[in-house]
Amino acid sequence: MDYLTSAECAKKWNVSQRRVAIYCKEGRIEGAFLMGRMWLIPKDAKKPEDPRRVRKMGQDKK
């Protein structure tokens, strides 16, 4: 299986390298593992939903 580093995934997904590391640490990317100080992520991994972007349904704008 081919793996990408967190920097490569960050560029691919258009997010910061730190955000990718947080996804990995929280277990939100299946198959990602820590080797030394570097996260390795499967090449075919899907970008998880960003938990900071929560749309609140049913709320009207004021």
Side-chain angles (χ1 to χ4, degrees):
M1 180 179 276
D2 292 331
Y3 291 93
L4 300 173
T5 63
S6 59
E8 293 168 331
C9 277
K11 190 172 184 179
K12 177 180 170 184
W13 293 340
N14 197 30
V15 294
S16 70
Q17 187 174 351
R18 180 66 184 140
R19 177 58 40 196
V20 174
I22 290 169
Y23 289 153
C24 293
K25 186 177 178 183
E26 291 176 349
R28 300 185 65 209
I29 302 174
E30 190 153 339
F33 64 96
L34 191 60
M35 179 178 273
R37 292 177 29 192
M38 179 173 56
W39 283 102
L40 294 177
I41 302 153
K43 199 172 198 173
D44 60 348
K46 300 211 184 320
K47 179 182 173 185
E49 288 279 326
D50 192 342
R52 301 171 300 168
R53 292 186 175 200
V54 177
R55 292 187 178 159
K56 296 179 181 177
M57 303 296 281
Q59 290 187 351
D60 297 328
K61 291 183 179 181
K62 292 182 181 181

